[in-house]
Amino acid sequence: MLYTIIKALHIIFMVSYFAGIFYLVRIFVYYKDTDEFAEEKKKILREQYTFMARRLWNIITVPAGIIMAVCGIIMIFLNLGLMKTPWFHLKLTFLIGLAIYHYWCWKKVLQLKELNGNTLETANIKLRQANEIATFILFLVVFTVILKSMVIEYWWQLITGFFVLVFLIMMTVKLVNKNKKKL
């Protein structure tokens, strides 16, 4: 029963964490979108986006990530057998990727604060593509957890499907960005 409750909490805070990460990087995109605005509008919006990013990071994303991680660690201790399964090692590998992405997001939040309303040097398209990284990691983790040992057995089909998914999402981002410029 305790394990199931911890698992439910882990999932709830995983959803909260990813919601925060998804929106956070979208705020970076919105900040960058102000490059072409008039100075007064740009200044007001950039201050607001910086404020929103810091609040989202400090109040939702980081606390949810900590609770998610603590629940995950508790689940490992309650079921040490997880550490003997190849699919769980794969999940942990993807979580290392998530930790790297989390660090990148944190550095961007700090960078926005230090910019004091100046231009963010990262290209708009790069921010839009970076916005999809969390989606890819979410797909990888969820499929690994749900399929468990089948991930190992059918790895090449899953990798092929994943790369097709990545390609389609990246092309959609480029298409949307291209159409946005025409408006």
Side-chain angles (χ1 to χ4, degrees):
M1 173 86 164
L2 176 62
Y3 185 84
T4 306
I5 291 169
I6 298 297
K7 183 190 257 185
L9 290 171
H10 181 69
I11 292 168
I12 290 165
F13 285 101
M14 183 265 310
V15 170
S16 299
Y17 174 79
F18 272 96
I21 284 288
F22 290 150
Y23 190 49
L24 181 68
V25 182
R26 179 55 40 190
I27 290 172
F28 301 156
V29 171
Y30 294 157
Y31 186 99
K32 185 64 179 173
D33 284 346
T34 64
D35 283 355
E36 306 301 318
F37 293 3
E39 278 307 310
E40 186 176 333
K41 184 177 181 181
K42 181 189 306 186
K43 182 181 185 304
I44 292 167
L45 286 172
R46 286 182 174 179
E47 284 177 14
Q48 183 62 32
Y49 291 142
T50 301
F51 173 78
M52 290 168 62
R54 291 180 66 211
R55 296 285 299 251
L56 178 63
W57 183 255
N58 292 323
I59 296 172
I60 296 173
T61 309
V62 170
I66 289 169
I67 296 169
M68 172 187 68
V70 167
C71 289
I73 291 166
I74 291 170
M75 287 184 346
I76 291 170
F77 281 109
L78 291 175
N79 182 5
L80 290 173
L82 288 171
M83 294 305 289
K84 297 177 183 170
T85 59
W87 70 266
F88 192 73
H89 291 179
L90 187 59
K91 177 189 175 184
L92 292 176
T93 302
F94 297 145
L95 293 181
I96 291 168
L98 181 59
I100 293 166
Y101 185 72
H102 178 94
Y103 178 77
W104 178 85
C105 289
W106 175 57
K107 296 304 273 182
K108 283 290 180 212
V109 169
L110 294 177
Q111 184 181 11
L112 283 189
K113 179 183 172 190
E114 293 169 7
L115 284 174
N116 292 321
N118 292 317
T119 302
L120 182 63
E121 293 301 321
T122 309
N124 192 297
I125 189 69
K126 296 294 182 198
L127 290 170
R128 290 176 183 277
Q129 290 171 335
N131 196 38
E132 303 307 325
I133 292 171
T135 304
F136 303 145
I137 294 170
L138 181 62
F139 268 86
L140 290 168
V141 170
V142 169
F143 270 89
T144 300
V145 170
I146 298 298
L147 296 175
K148 293 185 177 23
S149 61
M150 287 189 287
V151 168
I152 306 302
E153 187 176 344
Y154 297 105
W155 65 270
W156 70 270
Q157 292 96 327
L158 292 168
I159 288 175
T160 301
F162 177 73
F163 281 117
V164 168
L165 176 71
V166 168
F167 176 77
L168 291 174
I169 290 174
M170 288 300 192
M171 295 317 299
T172 301
V173 168
K174 282 189 177 233
L175 182 65
V176 167
N177 203 43
K178 182 179 177 184
N179 289 339
K180 182 181 157 266
K181 288 180 183 176
K182 290 181 182 178
L183 296 176

